[in-house]
Amino acid sequence: MKTCLAWLLGALLLSGTATAQDTLFRFALVTDTHVGTETGLNDLERTIHDLNQLPGIDFVIFSGDVTEFGSDAELKMAKQAMDKLGKPWHVVPGNHDTKWSESGCNSFRTVFGSETFLFDHKGYRFIGTNSGPNMRMGPGQVPRENMVWLRKTLDRTPASMPIVYINHYPLDEGLNNWLDVYGMLREKNVQLMLCGHGHANRIYTRTAIPNVMCRSNLRAKDSVGGYNLVTVRRDSVLFAERRPAVQTLPDWHRMPLVTGGADKYPPIADDAAKRVNDSFPNVKTLWQIQEDGDMGSAVAIADGKVIYTTTNGDIKAADLQTGKLRWRYKAGGKIYATPLVHAGKVIVPCSDGKVYCLQLSNGKRAWIRETGMAIVSSPALSGNLAIIAGSDGYCRAWDIGTGKIAWERPGIKGFAEMRPLVYGNKVLFGTWGNRFYALNAQTGDSLWQWTNGAANRMFSPAAVWPVATRNRAWIVSPDRYMTVIDTENGQNIWRFRDDAQWVRESIGMSEDSSRVYAKTMQGNILAFDAGATERKIVWQSPVQLGYEICPTPIAEKDGVVFIAGQSGLVCAISATDGALRWKHRFSDCLVNTVQPLTGNRVLASSMDGKLVCLEVAP
């Protein structure tokens, strides 16, 4: 009886939020359900039951962070719950669905049908996109393929048609390519932007387009969670928080409706890249490639070619001197693997669960092997073996010449994201199970495994590309520890967390193996003595990068250390003391790789599908 009375009171309050004659329609915005957390599924099921009882709700939008970790099991649980909703619904992913996705974000599309949506309702057009970051830790980023889709969608939208845009992130600096998104939206009659991410009801005013963040569906410290009821009237939009089966609170926000467009939404100038590049005019772009999908990996260089991959499933070879396309092969899923080239073959694991082996000369298929589950890590070379740690609890080695399995090791906890390190007779790698493994590279036999002891898998050493010297493996991880492990027995040599210098997932080694480099979350670059038996800093670079969380490995060549930034910056510093040599910014998005070539050239790729060859004059 109490439940019925509560529902009746909620319905009465709902019906009173706007007069019937002024109301065009009403919908629900549910966000940050985080299925996989302690109460996530229960809170979602409660909300869905509540929505099924409420009258006058035309449809429901789920605006990201549907799950906690983006796992296949969590996605399926969420979908089963959402399928019980008796109203039309639409969904986009958030960062929790995409950053830690064991499927490389493929399963979200498989389970829900798409990572974008587009529909019209009573004269309004609703457009939703993915927010990223996809696989690589960094600020949010609407994926390149979504940007291409958004451009086409907006071009097909009549100028006068009112638009509501939905993304998990608010439209501000937390989204790397926010200015590009705004630049497209401002040309149209965008009435409103909706988001989640911050778990609170909030108004954003970073752009002239109204932007409303809505609360998380999680109960947090309350007895029940909540979501938002959005009422679209002829002259305004009203937001009211709904507590499932309890009450609808009074409207917390009223937003007037005005006709949008370029005359109402002024451009936002950003000359940050120009300022950086004008300061170092000796750095020029020799050639550049712009793909229609993200680039989520480093590249391979062989036989005068640059081999790279995209999240559109492309494996491509470009001419190293000119950037012109030499060949292309289409795989069946998003690719986040760095290609491995050996003996005239190109090895590329894919999120469609297959390992592709192509001819380096022409991109023709040599062999393809099925594993049954997505692979988002990169292959490592040991002799004639391509060693690949998957998402299915296996690490496998394939003979590159024949495509036959040389060995496979089950029992790997958590999926792998990095490129394993082959060190002597061992292959070393971390996973999203708070584990770091050592296997025999020729047989796959388990030698030892290390754990950081954390209960939260998000602290795992899974994204770092480990380095090793003097029988010591170096790793950094999101728990902000740097750990040096004895490669003979898996025991800690030392492990340290510096609360003033938070390491995360970005390290590298000097060419002579005397120093290990690390980038901190505070934006500092440190050099450590690789031979010391305890933590010893050799130098700290005076270069300040600002807040940094991208996991890109650090490289050194000819006395120059190359650092990648999370917002399109490439930085070159002295290996002797960290002094700045030059900077160049070629993108707004995370840089995946900086690979020095012979002479004065550097290759760099970014998550928004750019590959550039830079030339540095003396």
Side-chain angles (χ1 to χ4, degrees):
M1 179 62 71
K2 289 182 178 179
T3 301
C4 292
L5 287 172
W7 176 86
L8 180 59
L9 286 170
L12 289 171
L13 282 169
L14 175 60
S15 64
T17 57
T19 59
Q21 62 267 29
D22 287 335
T23 297
L24 298 177
F25 59 92
R26 182 178 291 116
F27 66 95
L29 193 288
V30 183
T31 190
D32 295 273
T33 55
H34 290 277
V35 170
T37 57
E38 183 179 359
T39 68
L41 181 60
N42 183 263
D43 291 338
L44 174 59
E45 290 174 334
R46 186 194 299 263
T47 287
I48 287 170
H49 179 75
D50 187 64
L51 283 164
N52 283 337
Q53 306 303 312
L54 283 181
I57 306 297
D58 290 12
F59 57 87
V60 180
I61 290 175
F62 295 91
S63 64
D65 278 6
V66 178
T67 67
E68 176 68 2
F69 209 63
S71 70
D72 290 3
E74 289 174 350
L75 290 168
K76 289 174 183 176
M77 276 194 297
K79 177 64 159 50
Q80 288 171 357
M82 293 156 72
D83 278 340
K84 296 175 183 176
L85 188 58
K87 296 173 171 63
W89 55 273
H90 310 271
V91 62
V92 290
N95 58 302
H96 276 256
D97 305 309
T98 60
K99 165 60 198 89
W100 295 280
S101 169
E102 64 192 1
S103 71
C105 313
N106 259 5
S107 289
F108 192 95
R109 296 191 302 183
T110 301
V111 171
F112 292 107
S114 179
E115 62 183 24
T116 62
F117 65 71
L118 168 67
F119 69 95
D120 296 341
H121 186 75
K122 295 186 178 179
Y124 277 72
R125 174 156 290 181
F126 289 79
I127 302 173
T129 61
N130 183 355
S131 69
N134 283 1
M135 297 307 304
R136 304 295 178 240
M137 176 54 73
Q141 177 208 325
V142 177
R144 172 65 181 167
E145 54 265 40
N146 281 201
M147 293 290 284
V148 172
W149 173 85
L150 179 61
R151 176 74 276 168
K152 293 177 180 177
T153 299
L154 291 170
D155 286 346
R156 293 192 296 263
T157 300
S160 61
M161 189 174 197
I163 295 171
V164 178
Y165 174 68
I166 299 94
N167 190 268
H168 182 63
Y169 277 65
L171 206 56
D172 65 7
E173 286 82 357
L175 194 70
N176 257 340
N177 54 350
W178 72 287
L179 285 175
D180 293 330
V181 177
Y182 175 71
M184 286 192 279
L185 294 177
R186 63 175 288 269
E187 300 171 357
K188 294 294 183 176
N189 184 21
V190 179
Q191 297 290 293
L192 173 65
M193 296 184 296
L194 296 173
C195 68
H197 191 57
H199 289 217
N201 295 324
R202 191 176 303 161
I203 310 303
Y204 277 80
T205 58
R206 186 63 182 88
T207 73
I209 302 175
N211 194 175
V212 179
M213 175 184 285
C214 294
R215 63 153 294 166
S216 167
N217 190 65
L218 292 174
R219 71 186 69 175
K221 297 180 180 180
D222 294 334
S223 57
V224 297
Y227 58 96
N228 268 269
L229 297 170
V230 185
T231 302
V232 180
R233 302 172 65 179
R234 298 185 187 280
D235 63 348
S236 59
V237 179
L238 306 178
F239 291 82
E241 184 176 322
R242 171 72 179 166
R243 302 290 179 87
V246 178
Q247 63 177 332
T248 301
L249 300 178
D251 297 332
W252 64 269
H253 180 52
R254 179 184 179 277
M255 188 200 79
L257 288 175
V258 297
T259 300
D263 58 333
K264 296 285 177 46
Y265 303 142
I268 299 176
D270 179 27
D271 62 350
K274 185 177 186 302
R275 292 198 308 271
V276 169
N277 297 343
D278 284 352
S279 299
F280 298 92
N282 60 316
V283 183
K284 303 293 185 182
T285 298
L286 188 63
W287 55 257
Q288 176 173 309
I289 295 170
Q290 175 65 75
E291 288 290 339
D292 284 345
D294 282 358
M295 288 187 190
S297 65
V299 303
I301 301 166
D303 191 31
K305 304 179 184 73
V306 183
I307 318 299
Y308 66 93
T309 62
T310 78
T311 53
N312 280 333
D314 290 318
I315 306 169
K316 291 186 176 183
D319 187 281
L320 181 59
Q321 298 303 316
T322 65
K324 292 183 178 180
L325 183 66
R326 300 279 290 273
W327 54 254
R328 173 191 178 191
Y329 186 92
K330 188 75 170 179
K334 294 174 182 273
I335 303 175
Y336 292 96
T338 297
L340 168 65
V341 178
H342 177 69
K345 302 290 194 304
V346 178
I347 308 297
V348 179
C350 180
S351 64
D352 64 359
K354 297 176 182 177
V355 177
Y356 292 83
C357 179
L358 309 178
Q359 302 288 353
L360 174 61
S361 59
N362 56 20
K364 301 295 184 182
R365 184 178 77 178
W367 51 261
I368 298 176
R369 297 295 179 265
E370 176 70 65
T371 69
M373 194 167 179
I375 306 171
V376 295
S377 66
S378 299
L381 179 67
S382 177
N384 196 45
L385 300 180
I387 300 175
I388 303 171
S391 298
D392 60 350
Y394 279 82
C395 184
R396 298 178 177 89
W398 278 270
D399 184 288
I400 294 174
T402 65
K404 293 181 179 179
I405 282 280
W407 56 258
E408 55 182 359
R409 169 55 51 186
I412 305 300
K413 182 178 179 181
F415 72 94
E417 180 185 332
M418 45 66 262
R419 183 173 70 185
L421 172 68
V422 174
Y423 180 67
N425 68 334
K426 301 176 180 67
V427 56
L428 308 172
F429 61 95
T431 70
W432 287 109
N434 287 310
R435 296 295 194 277
F436 190 75
Y437 291 91
L439 307 179
N440 184 296
Q442 294 304 305
T443 66
D445 291 340
S446 178
L447 301 176
W448 50 259
Q449 63 174 283
W450 174 94
T451 178
N452 59 12
N456 189 336
R457 54 189 168 178
M458 292 182 183
F459 292 151
S460 301
V464 60
W465 289 23
V467 296
T469 185
R470 298 175 176 86
N471 292 330
R472 301 169 185 175
W474 294 63
I475 58 173
V476 288
S477 51
D479 60 5
R480 302 167 184 172
Y481 277 91
M482 175 174 276
T483 306
V484 179
I485 302 169
D486 190 317
T487 59
E488 294 302 304
N489 55 31
Q491 299 299 307
N492 287 347
I493 293 176
W494 59 262
R495 176 170 162 82
F496 188 83
R497 170 173 167 156
D498 185 343
D499 286 334
Q501 301 278 10
W502 292 342
V503 292
R504 191 179 173 101
E505 293 159 321
S506 180
I507 59 172
M509 182 166 283
S510 63
E511 285 189 295
D512 64 3
S513 299
S514 67
R515 294 178 301 277
V516 171
Y517 305 114
K519 180 177 64 175
T520 73
M521 293 174 65
Q522 289 81 5
N524 298 315
I525 302 108
L526 306 176
F528 298 86
D529 186 339
T533 56
E534 58 186 17
R535 182 177 182 267
K536 182 179 178 182
I537 297 176
V538 179
W539 52 253
Q540 176 176 327
S541 172
V543 175
Q544 295 289 315
L545 299 176
Y547 180 68
E548 271 288 334
I549 55 176
C550 82
T552 307
I554 299 171
E556 181 194 321
K557 186 173 178 61
D558 299 332
V560 180
V561 181
F562 297 91
I563 312 293
Q566 66 184 25
S567 299
L569 183 70
V570 176
C571 188
I573 62 177
S574 167
T576 303
D577 57 8
L580 179 65
R581 294 289 187 87
W582 54 263
K583 292 180 183 179
H584 187 81
R585 185 171 174 181
F586 70 98
S587 168
D588 291 325
C589 297
L590 181 150
V591 178
N592 286 300
T593 181
V594 182
Q595 291 174 246
L597 305 174
T598 56
N600 58 347
R601 294 183 180 180
V602 175
L603 281 179
S605 68
S606 58
M607 280 297 292
D608 56 346
K610 290 179 181 176
L611 176 63
V612 297
C613 181
L614 303 177
E615 189 169 49
V616 184

